Structures are given as C-alpha cells and as structure tokens.
Amino acid sequence: MHLVLFKNRRLNKAELALNGGRYQEAIKLGQALVNSRNKEINFRANRLCGLALYKRKKYDDSLQYLEKACGIGNFRHDWYSLAMALVFAGKLEKAEEAFKNIYRTNVQPGYLYAVPVPGLLYQYMKALKKKQFVDAAKVRANELKQMFVGVGPDTTKQVQRGLPNFTTFLADVEPLFEPERFVLWKSDLRM
C-alpha cells in the first residue's frame, strides 16, 4: 500500500513537471516506473514519458512509451498522441493505423482536456500537411468536409460538434489542391 502511494506521489510530481514545461524532470521521475507491475502506474508512467519526449520533439524516442500506454489504457487522447508522434517521425502507415483507433476508443474518465474527434482530425490533417503527406491530408480534409456538409452553415452547430473555424479550415485545405480542383472541392460545401 505504501509503495503504491509513493509511486502515485512520484507520478503526480512528474505530471506537474510535464504541465509546467519541465520535460526532462518529468521523464526522470516517470522512467523509473514504466515497468511497474501495477497496471495504472505502468500506464501513467509510460504516457507521461511519451508525452514529455513528444513535447521535446523527440518523436522516435516517444514512440515506445506511447505505444505501451495505448496498449494498456486504450484511450482516445493517447492514440492521438501516438498518431501525431508517428507522423512527425515520418511513419505514415503506422500513424494512420493509430489514428483509426481514435474512433474505436473513449476518453479516459476524469480527463480534463478531451477534444472532440473533429478537432483531433483537424490537428492531424495539419500535421500530415506539414510533413508533406499530401494524399493522406486530403483524405482527412474530405472527412472534415463531410462533417461540415452534415452540419450545414449554422456556426453554432459547427462549434457544438467540435469542428474548426470554417474559414481557417478552408485556408488550411486550399494548398492541398490544384486551384481548379479546389474550386470543385469547395463547391460541394455550399456554405
């Protein structure tokens, strides 16, 4: 019992360090617990180390921890973090597989920073675009487009569904297409 309390206190300190931008301290505190026999401790330690390395832009190093966290916890925001790390590490096929799990999982109970799926999809599309995975970014842009078509021009409904700002979305999507194709693509929206 006392050992679990000690480990929880250590992970709480690591989470404070992570949230405070002290990533190296978070990694140091969490790494000692990544192989814990306690499932909850193991999950938290791996997620924390993976996120800290991701924030330091050490994407390849973060993958082992994020993959382990996803295998233990299977929560939406962890799969999203893994997909983003894989994109930035240049591993598109694995990123696409990880991103598909976002649709199959739930938000961790008590998680304060839950982002709706359209918001995650939008950020993922922007990361794909940034890493020059244009075809994959187009697929995700089309998914978002269908969400906009389903909701219609009502801004309130768009916000309620977690969709990005429509004008910003169009500005981010336009460079993915040739000018003539973008006009055709955009004509389906009727907003």
Side-chain angles (χ1 to χ4, degrees):
M1 178 70 172
H2 293 293
L3 187 58
V4 171
L5 288 174
F6 167 77
K7 290 177 180 181
N8 271 320
R9 257 187 257 128
R10 184 180 182 105
L11 286 173
N12 290 342
K13 281 183 186 178
E15 284 179 2
L16 283 172
L18 176 69
N19 294 334
R22 298 183 317 275
Y23 306 126
Q24 195 59 40
E25 180 183 343
I27 293 165
K28 183 178 177 183
L29 289 166
Q31 269 185 328
L33 302 172
V34 295
N35 294 316
S36 174
R37 284 188 232 149
N38 180 301
K39 186 177 176 181
E40 179 66 24
I41 300 290
N42 191 323
F43 164 72
R44 287 179 60 202
N46 278 287
R47 181 172 98 7
L48 191 120
C49 288
L51 288 175
L53 288 163
Y54 175 86
K55 295 281 188 182
R56 294 190 71 207
K57 298 184 181 187
K58 294 187 174 190
Y59 304 114
D60 285 315
D61 295 339
S62 73
L63 295 178
Q64 68 175 332
Y65 298 108
L66 292 172
E67 286 170 349
K68 195 169 177 187
C70 289
I72 297 168
N74 198 29
F75 295 116
R76 180 179 300 153
H77 54 278
D78 298 317
W79 284 108
Y80 169 74
S81 298
L82 176 59
M84 293 294 279
L86 286 162
V87 165
F88 288 122
K91 300 175 181 184
L92 178 62
E93 294 81 24
K94 285 185 170 186
E96 289 289 305
E97 284 301 311
F99 195 82
K100 287 177 188 173
N101 286 308
I102 288 172
Y103 297 111
R104 300 180 198 131
T105 56
N106 294 317
V107 175
Q108 181 180 358
Y111 189 69
L112 301 176
Y113 307 105
V115 176
V117 171
L120 299 176
L121 184 58
Y122 178 62
Q123 294 303 318
Y124 183 65
M125 181 204 73
K126 287 178 23 178
L128 289 168
K129 180 179 143 190
K130 183 176 181 178
K131 290 300 285 184
Q132 304 298 313
F133 295 125
V134 176
D135 290 336
K138 285 180 185 178
V139 169
R140 300 307 175 181
N142 284 327
E143 284 183 53
L144 283 164
K145 175 183 159 184
Q146 292 308 312
M147 291 178 188
F148 276 110
V149 168
V151 171
D154 186 351
T155 308
T156 304
K157 285 184 181 177
Q158 292 173 5
V159 170
Q160 288 172 342
R161 301 288 193 302
L163 288 165
N165 176 283
F166 183 68
T167 309
T168 307
F169 169 67
L170 287 179
D172 284 332
V173 169
E174 187 172 5
L176 296 173
F177 296 93
E178 297 167 10
E180 314 82 48
R181 285 213 176 262
F182 181 70
V183 170
L184 279 171
W185 185 88
K186 186 177 166 186
S187 69
D188 294 343
L189 288 167
R190 295 183 199 99
M191 299 226 178

